[in-house]
Amino acid sequence: MPTLEFKGKQFVYSHHLGVPFRELQVVPDKSLPAKGRKPTLDDNLIIHGDNLEALKALLPTHAGKVDCIFIDPPYNTGNEGWCYNDNVRSPLMKEWLKKSANPVDKEDLERHDKWLCMMWPRINLLRELLSEDGSIWMTLDDNEIHRARALFDEIFGEEHFICCAAWEKTYTPKSNGRVISTDHDYVLAYCKTEAFIDHGWNYLDRNEEQKSRFKNTDNDPNGPWRTYPLDVRTENNERREKYRYPVTLPSGRVVRPAKGRHWALPEQEFEKQRKRGEIYFGKTGDAMPTKKVYLDKDEDKGVIARTWWEYQQVKGNQDAKKQLLAIMGDGSDFITPKPYQLVERVLEIAADPDSLILDSFAGSGTTAHAVLEANKKDNGNRRFILVECEDYAETLTAERVRRVIKGYPYTGTQREELHRENITWSAFEKKQAKILEHIASIENLHGHEYDKIKKQIKDGVLTVTGERKVEKTAPGLGGSFTYCTLGDPIDIESLLTGKGLPSFEALARYVFYTATGQSLEKVGKPAPDGFIGETELFRVHLFYQPEKEWLRSNDAALNAERVAAIEKGNQSSKRAIVFAVAKFMSQKELTARRIEFCQLPYAVHRILGD
């Protein structure tokens, strides 16, 4: 497979492995725990810190556990003012960045290289955090979408490409557009493994217009139905010939599929469904057979998502700005929010009611808003993790989530668009009854949620809007979150000086992950043999206390007594990996006892090796 080459790639290729581990530190006074509870890392998380270091800090607890990732990184338009500085150790890399423009601007001829250098290690870490049936979704525009495709192909594998959907971000043309108004951005999606393709995604619920296509013109006892073609195309010659059996229509005419096509069902199954009345031959009984699909039966899973995401379904940039303004007031000057409905569409396709969703470019907190909205609608238990590096992580990102949860000051009329479609007068005359019926169904479905349902046709667009008068406070959605920052990097100096020592639990999770590539589900209290957890291949032990004097004492070392305790508890004869500050036995002797000693702090690599 072709690979993507860019300046600095050789220096950032494995940079994510060398990023230092930092402990997630809870900030209670900035958190919003559930009533009667204390902030905990098991709750929704909002993390303030560099997202590269934050993703590394999440690995010990969340590797392989994130179900869906949505990110909205810098589009690299040259006008965003983002900076690239990941402290890559290479002298050549440092010299390059020293002489380059930072922040990145439009005149920077190497801004695309910098963007790729910034994204490469982050996408690698995001992949490690994904579950086996998880997926990642990223919004971009024409500045970097083609390079992003090549980057994702290399990291995820082009066989794991899901789609590059077009999101209609505006419904009116931009008069200041360059030759042609750009009305869409992209949503690029990849999965980690084939497991997502097999069972990790969802059909979308049918909307009212789609439901209206189901009729029951022949009083079928199974209820409203519509038809789908029964003849399909395939490259499988054997299947094509086997499924090209003749079918006798009720009219007596004998038909076969067109050349190069075959029936979708084996002949025996076709006849069974025909007897049950599930095959339709047209009003006169002389049409090519089609399959009846019923609206109210279990096999109707809904509709598959398409790559064209219409404005009326997922909203646009102006809607996002209005949403943020309503929640945060005039004080918010965040210029590139996304509508929460856009993220909701991703969740509908790629998440379930109990999914864990991660956004490492959190911005104004749209992903958390979408998760809370989704939970409110179906009483789900989705959780979110947001990461934001900018100073507004607390004043904007967390504050928006806080207000969405608790409610926010608002007086006026809230409006929510329930339906939009382009329509001409001639089309309205022809479909008047059907359109009015559809609008009535919207009123019946949503009328109780609003004070008024407003309908209008203006400039060739039919809109149905729900209006609700709000006095003083808009209602909250409920929920909670824990606010975190990143602790100091853990290195040998910190263990020797006693500054910024991690807790036993944090270090236990970290060393377990780095040794096995798996997350430690539960951390107990320090044990005499140092045992913290095991996998199918290893038992992992840690001798550690976050105390300077203890770490400098002989008590911190691996000695014969502790080796004996390790051997006594190892009934399965698995290989033991032991983390400690020092040892009083030779590695040769330890190897004979199937023990691998790792001096703290452990270098960021796995025993099995990357």
Side-chain angles (χ1 to χ4, degrees):
M1 182 185 75
T3 57
L4 179 66
E5 293 301 324
F6 53 91
K7 187 174 183 177
K9 181 179 181 179
Q10 68 269 39
F11 305 122
V12 301
Y13 190 83
S14 57
H15 177 58
H16 61 288
L17 300 176
V19 176
F21 168 73
R22 295 174 183 261
E23 183 180 2
L24 290 176
Q25 297 183 336
V26 174
V27 184
D29 61 335
K30 295 182 180 180
S31 301
L32 183 64
K35 189 175 181 179
R37 296 186 181 182
K38 294 182 179 180
T40 170
L41 295 179
D42 295 326
D43 199 355
N44 297 311
L45 300 180
I46 299 178
I47 303 170
H48 182 201
D50 180 88
N51 57 10
L52 184 61
E53 295 179 334
L55 292 175
K56 195 59 176 282
L58 285 168
L59 285 176
T61 52
H62 292 82
K65 294 182 179 179
V66 176
D67 301 296
C68 178
I69 295 171
F70 175 87
I71 56 174
D72 180 32
Y75 282 16
N76 208 18
T77 61
N79 300 317
E80 297 152 309
W82 69 277
C83 297
Y84 174 66
N85 182 14
D86 279 345
N87 294 317
V88 179
R89 294 174 182 173
S90 164
L92 291 176
M93 191 76 165
K94 290 181 179 179
E95 188 66 20
W96 169 41
L97 295 177
K98 183 179 179 181
K99 296 179 179 179
S100 296
N102 234 347
V104 177
D105 58 32
K106 218 163 195 175
E107 304 304 317
D108 187 350
L109 299 180
E110 296 174 329
R111 64 187 170 99
H112 301 296
D113 300 274
K114 291 177 183 176
W115 188 87
L116 290 166
C117 285
M118 182 268 291
M119 293 299 293
W120 181 274
R122 287 163 175 80
I123 300 303
N124 272 287
L125 289 178
L126 287 169
R127 186 183 182 281
E128 287 199 51
L129 288 163
L130 271 181
S131 64
E132 291 302 296
D133 59 353
S135 59
I136 179 171
W137 304 69
M138 177 172 69
T139 52
L140 280 177
D141 68 4
D142 285 309
N143 281 283
E144 297 292 358
I145 186 63
H146 49 302
R147 279 175 280 267
R149 282 286 301 267
L151 180 140
F152 271 74
D153 279 347
E154 193 165 344
I155 294 175
F156 279 84
E158 60 182 323
E159 70 277 12
H160 294 138
F161 168 74
I162 299 171
C163 74
C164 185
W167 159 48
E168 187 182 17
K169 63 182 180 181
T170 180
Y171 67 94
T172 56
K174 298 177 182 178
S175 58
N176 61 346
R178 185 186 177 190
V179 183
I180 295 178
S181 173
T182 302
D183 296 344
H184 73 279
D185 281 349
Y186 300 98
V187 182
L188 181 64
Y190 279 74
C191 57
K192 187 173 183 179
T193 70
E194 292 296 316
F196 178 84
I197 307 298
D198 295 338
H199 56 75
W201 60 281
N202 308 309
Y203 288 89
L204 301 179
D205 292 335
R206 296 185 187 277
N207 59 35
E208 294 301 316
E209 191 276 330
Q210 290 165 338
K211 290 179 181 179
S212 69
R213 299 173 188 171
F214 288 76
K215 305 293 183 182
N216 195 358
T217 54
D218 59 351
N219 296 317
D220 192 307
N222 290 317
W225 53 271
R226 64 171 300 182
T227 61
Y228 289 93
L230 263 176
D231 60 322
V232 297
R233 183 183 297 276
T234 183
E235 301 299 326
N236 188 319
N237 292 329
E238 182 179 348
R239 182 181 178 88
R240 186 164 58 210
E241 292 306 313
K242 184 178 179 181
Y243 283 23
R244 278 184 54 79
Y245 49 84
V247 169
T248 302
L249 305 180
S251 65
R253 186 165 65 93
V254 179
V255 297
R256 291 178 183 268
K259 186 178 180 181
R261 303 179 70 83
H262 64 79
W263 303 120
L265 302 172
E267 188 171 9
Q268 188 175 6
E269 180 60 27
F270 179 93
E271 292 301 330
K272 285 182 181 179
Q273 293 190 19
R274 180 173 186 165
K275 288 179 181 179
R276 294 198 299 261
E278 297 172 5
I279 306 296
Y280 184 62
F281 298 95
K283 292 181 179 180
T284 64
D286 193 51
M288 289 290 283
T290 51
K291 165 68 178 170
K292 280 186 176 182
V293 176
Y294 297 94
L295 177 61
D296 300 321
K297 296 194 73 174
D298 292 339
E299 60 262 28
D300 178 39
K301 300 175 183 178
V303 293
I304 192 169
R306 302 172 65 186
T307 55
W308 174 240
W309 293 11
E310 293 178 318
Y311 178 93
Q312 66 189 64
Q313 297 172 344
V314 297
K315 306 306 177 186
N317 287 335
Q318 289 302 315
D319 299 278
K321 292 175 183 177
K322 290 177 182 177
Q323 291 165 4
L324 189 59
L325 184 64
I327 297 169
M328 300 301 297
D330 296 334
S332 172
D333 58 355
F334 193 82
I335 61 174
T336 58
K338 295 295 181 289
Y340 73 80
Q341 293 91 339
L342 174 68
V343 185
E344 271 193 306
R345 167 56 56 87
V346 172
L347 301 184
E348 287 176 320
I349 300 170
D352 293 321
D354 294 316
S355 291
L356 176 61
I357 295 94
L358 168 64
D359 183 350
S360 56
F361 292 86
S364 65
T366 301
T367 295
H369 190 167
V371 169
L372 295 169
E373 286 279 2
N375 284 342
K376 186 73 173 180
K377 288 178 181 177
D378 62 8
N379 200 31
N381 191 36
R382 300 168 187 84
R383 291 183 297 130
F384 62 79
I385 299 175
L386 305 187
V387 180
E388 179 52 55
C389 67
E390 298 294 342
D391 293 338
Y392 55 69
E394 199 277 326
T395 57
L396 174 60
T397 312
E399 182 59 25
R400 175 186 181 173
V401 180
R402 190 177 288 112
R403 294 187 183 195
V404 168
I405 289 173
K406 297 173 65 176
Y408 50 91
Y410 185 83
T411 299
T413 301
Q414 286 186 324
R415 295 177 175 84
E416 183 173 353
E417 190 175 282
L418 304 174
H419 179 72
R420 169 185 290 269
E421 67 174 292
N422 296 327
I423 191 166
T424 61
W425 179 253
S426 59
F428 181 74
E429 282 187 315
K430 293 178 182 177
K431 301 194 301 179
Q432 181 180 1
K434 191 174 182 179
I435 293 171
L436 293 176
E437 180 185 345
H438 177 51
I439 293 175
S441 69
I442 293 175
E443 291 182 296
N444 291 333
L445 185 63
H446 297 286
H448 67 284
E449 301 173 10
Y450 303 94
D451 299 322
K452 178 183 177 182
I453 302 293
K454 183 179 179 180
K455 295 90 65 177
Q456 70 172 3
I457 297 178
K458 185 178 180 181
D459 298 329
V461 179
L462 166 66
T463 56
V464 181
T465 306
E467 297 184 352
R468 180 194 299 116
K469 290 184 179 179
V470 178
E471 295 183 1
K472 295 185 179 180
T473 304
L477 300 175
S480 60
F481 68 84
T482 295
Y483 189 93
C484 301
T485 56
L486 300 175
D488 294 331
I490 296 176
D491 52 29
I492 191 67
E493 286 78 14
S494 65
L495 291 179
L496 292 175
T497 62
K499 293 181 180 178
L501 293 174
S503 65
F504 176 84
E505 179 179 345
L507 190 60
R509 291 185 184 279
Y510 170 64
V511 298
F512 188 86
Y513 171 76
T514 55
T516 67
Q518 299 180 26
S519 297
L520 186 58
E521 294 295 332
K522 186 177 181 180
V523 180
K525 295 181 179 180
D529 66 349
F531 177 73
I532 57 173
E534 63 183 319
T535 67
E536 293 181 0
L537 300 174
F538 306 111
R539 285 172 63 86
V540 183
H541 304 255
L542 171 65
F543 296 103
Y544 170 76
Q545 291 182 20
E547 299 172 8
K548 180 173 62 175
E549 296 304 321
W550 186 89
L551 288 169
R552 290 177 175 178
S553 70
N554 291 340
D555 294 336
L558 176 63
N559 54 30
E561 183 181 349
R562 283 177 168 159
V563 168
I566 290 170
E567 290 182 314
K568 184 177 179 181
N570 190 2
Q571 302 298 321
S572 58
S573 298
K574 292 179 181 177
R575 180 182 171 192
I577 302 174
V578 181
F579 296 88
V581 174
K583 59 181 173 67
F584 292 158
M585 303 177 70
S586 69
Q587 183 58 57
K588 182 177 181 181
E589 185 177 357
L590 292 174
T591 301
R593 299 188 182 197
R594 294 180 58 76
I595 295 175
E596 177 79 19
F597 173 76
C598 299
Q599 186 174 12
L600 290 173
Y602 190 51
V604 185
H605 69 275
R606 301 177 190 169
I607 292 294
L608 292 180
D610 271 323

